[in-house]
Amino acid sequence: MAFQPNEKTNVIAYANTLLAGLNLSPLSDVPFIETHPAINNARSGVQGHAHPSSNNKIIPTALADYADGALLALKSVAQDNPLKTNLPEYGAHLLGERMALFNTHPREQVSAGGSCHFFEARNGYLAINLARDEDFDLLPALTDAQIPITTDKQILENAFKKFSIQDLIPLGRDLGLAISAVALPDYDSFDNWVSMSPSATSQYPSPKVSPLVVDLSSLWAGPLTGSLLAMLGAEVIKVESSKRLDGARRDKSDDQGEKEFYDLMNGGKKSFTCDFTTQEGREQLLQLIECADIVIEASRPRALRQLGIHAETLLAKKPGKVWLSITAYGHGPATENIIGFGDDIGVAAGLSSLMDIIHGRPLFVGDAITDPLGGLHGALATWACWMNGGGMIDLSLYQVLGFALSQDPLIRAFNKNNLIRRTSEWTKILNMSDENMYPVRKASKPAPPPGYHNEEILRKLDALQKS
């Protein structure tokens, strides 16, 4: 289901498309003031944090409108919740806030976060996200040992020119690299944005009951979902391994922006830590998950199974329970173990190829763009599932962005000339704009230190065990 190419109705039409995918009624009369998608993109900061009329490279599709539409749909689903006014005013505000706080922007060959890089292969370009130290150790195996283990960008720049994309992508993914080709996917294949399996033993919540959410996720997409649920009144417990805390937690960093961003994602949550490597820690983790009304996780399924956590079994034990599983490319034997991060998934969904078509070279779009979009869509799916009796949610970040892009009629029925014409028109509109960037949100409260609420939560678990 694709909205019509009326650039003044993107947000409401996209919100209704998302609601239709959840089998929910469309929006009624909505007092939503729409802005032009080019201005909305620029003001959101997804094109970089300069004035909207600056010479940043135009993104030729309505990304900020898709973010606004997802948040508008969430507000519709939560319309009977008196706390819905705690949600951000616009979803677009969330797209560029990390770049604003970190004072970063995408560069020619490197993502805003600094870890994802474009490399030229024999027959095209690919993106590799070298986010972890061990990723560099895998590069020799990717190139038949033709390059050493190195972080030297000049050596890496020419390392892949002898190899084809068709060989590099599957091998890289088998090795555990976050790797994707700069190419346009088949947008006709994105028939929905989420896969949801209703609970066989549905139990609808009392309107007076706020769900208990256990957030096992880290970094951005999952924590954003949890923070939006907290704004709706849920009690959210952020759970971390005491041996490996959330990588976004930078308590020893002098960068105030990093702390402010972590507080935005986790400031309204309680903190619980346990040692996943011990029997006691795994028992505490399992007991906490059993008590939860909603579970948010962004792990590969085999990682959870190794901890003795089986989503289907736990869903069956508690009617009405919701399990949100966020992955790079979705569940299923062919996809569930593929590594992916926000930037390289954005490349896989075609954004950098669109920029190549319009601007003459592949470019990164925004900052880990599928994370804020995934978090917004994840909150919508989760709250809708909670209100409708529970179940399993398979949310693929690739599917979310691919579906959003497929709603653009100039992309779905690909027409290069029309896209170039649109970019020219949007550039003229921006050059006439005198609007400022959207303000960066402020966290409602600081995120608690690791394990700050352990005693309180363990007492509750002990009481539940005895009852």
Side-chain angles (χ1 to χ4, degrees), residues 48-106:
H49 275 263
H51 192 273
S53 63
S54 71
N55 292 321
N56 287 333
K57 297 297 184 184
I58 297 291
I59 299 166
T61 191
L63 288 179
D65 286 8
Y66 301 139
D68 281 344
L71 186 64
L72 192 61
L74 174 59
K75 290 178 178 179
S76 172
V77 172
Q79 61 184 341
D80 296 329
N81 186 323
L83 297 175
K84 69 179 185 298
T85 54
N86 292 336
L87 292 169
E89 186 176 7
Y90 298 108
H93 292 190
L94 280 59
L95 295 185
E97 61 188 3
R98 191 171 79 164
M99 280 196 292
L101 289 170
F102 287 17
N103 192 27
T104 58
H105 62 275

Side-chain angles (χ1 to χ4, degrees), residues 366-440:
D367 177 15
I369 188 64
T370 59
D371 280 303
L373 282 172
L376 283 161
H377 286 73
L380 167 61
T382 301
W383 199 259
C385 189
W386 160 247
M387 296 302 296
N388 286 286
M392 180 76 185
I393 305 169
D394 173 10
L395 190 83
S396 153
L397 298 183
Y398 171 73
Q399 189 76 16
V400 164
L401 179 56
F403 179 82
L405 294 176
S406 76
Q407 303 308 294
D408 186 327
L410 298 191
I411 292 177
R412 186 155 192 151
F414 181 71
N415 188 306
K416 179 178 178 179
N417 290 334
N418 284 345
L419 274 175
I420 292 173
R421 189 176 300 115
R422 171 194 279 175
T423 305
S424 176
E425 292 170 355
W426 285 17
T427 301
K428 292 175 184 177
I429 288 168
L430 278 182
N431 287 339
M432 294 186 292
S433 170
D434 59 358
E435 298 191 52
N436 295 317
M437 307 296 296
Y438 293 131
V440 178

Side-chain angles (χ1 to χ4, degrees), residues 88-281:
E89 186 176 7
Y90 298 108
H93 292 190
L94 280 59
L95 295 185
E97 61 188 3
R98 191 171 79 164
M99 280 196 292
L101 289 170
F102 287 17
N103 192 27
T104 58
H105 62 275
R107 288 158 280 168
E108 290 291 312
Q109 298 296 311
V110 187
S111 64
S115 63
C116 198
H117 305 259
F118 289 126
F119 298 106
E120 187 176 358
R122 191 175 67 219
N123 58 339
Y125 285 87
L126 67 153
I128 306 178
N129 208 326
L130 302 168
R132 306 158 298 183
D133 290 341
E134 58 265 31
D135 290 333
F136 290 94
D137 299 342
L138 299 172
L139 295 181
L142 184 63
T143 57
D144 291 335
Q146 292 192 26
I147 62 169
I149 297 175
T150 180
T151 60
D152 188 313
K153 302 301 187 295
Q154 288 187 326
I155 293 176
L156 292 176
E157 197 169 294
N158 299 310
F160 306 97
K161 290 184 177 180
K162 297 179 181 178
F163 302 90
S164 74
I165 294 285
Q166 292 73 20
D167 292 334
L168 289 168
I169 300 299
L171 176 57
R173 288 178 173 176
D174 285 345
L175 290 169
L177 284 166
I179 183 171
S180 54
V182 176
L184 292 178
D186 175 10
Y187 288 110
D188 285 332
S189 67
F190 294 97
D191 54 356
N192 208 341
W193 61 277
V194 68
S195 176
M196 192 176 298
S197 303
S199 172
T201 53
S202 297
Q203 178 174 301
Y204 297 90
S206 161
K208 297 181 180 179
V209 172
S210 295
L212 172 64
V213 179
V214 169
D215 180 2
L216 304 174
S217 65
S218 60
L219 300 177
W220 196 347
L224 174 57
T225 292
S227 73
L228 294 170
L229 300 186
M231 292 176 196
L232 289 172
E235 179 185 359
V236 183
I237 300 174
K238 181 175 180 63
V239 179
E240 299 169 270
S241 166
S242 57
K243 300 288 188 182
R244 187 175 182 178
L245 299 174
D246 185 340
R249 190 190 280 276
R250 307 288 178 87
D251 290 346
K252 295 181 180 179
S253 172
D254 294 329
D255 190 327
Q256 182 63 24
E258 292 183 345
K259 183 181 186 309
E260 289 176 357
F261 180 74
Y262 188 83
D263 288 346
L264 269 178
M265 296 299 105
N266 300 286
K269 306 173 186 177
K270 295 180 178 179
S271 174
F272 181 80
T273 60
C274 58
D275 187 347
F276 295 177
T277 66
T278 67
Q279 182 68 24
E280 180 185 29

Side-chain angles (χ1 to χ4, degrees), residues 284-341:
Q284 291 173 349
L285 175 63
L286 184 58
Q287 190 179 1
L288 187 55
I289 292 173
E290 286 176 337
C291 294
D293 299 302
I294 296 172
V295 177
I296 301 170
E297 52 89 0
S299 303
R300 286 179 287 176
R302 68 185 182 194
L304 292 176
R305 289 193 287 266
Q306 288 170 354
L307 293 173
I309 297 169
H310 300 271
E312 294 78 10
T313 302
L314 292 163
L315 282 170
K317 283 184 177 180
K318 186 171 184 177
K321 194 185 197 76
V322 175
W323 193 287
L324 172 66
S325 179
I326 302 174
T327 60
Y329 294 94
H331 282 231
T335 55
E336 64 186 23
N337 290 313
I338 299 176
I339 293 286
F341 301 104

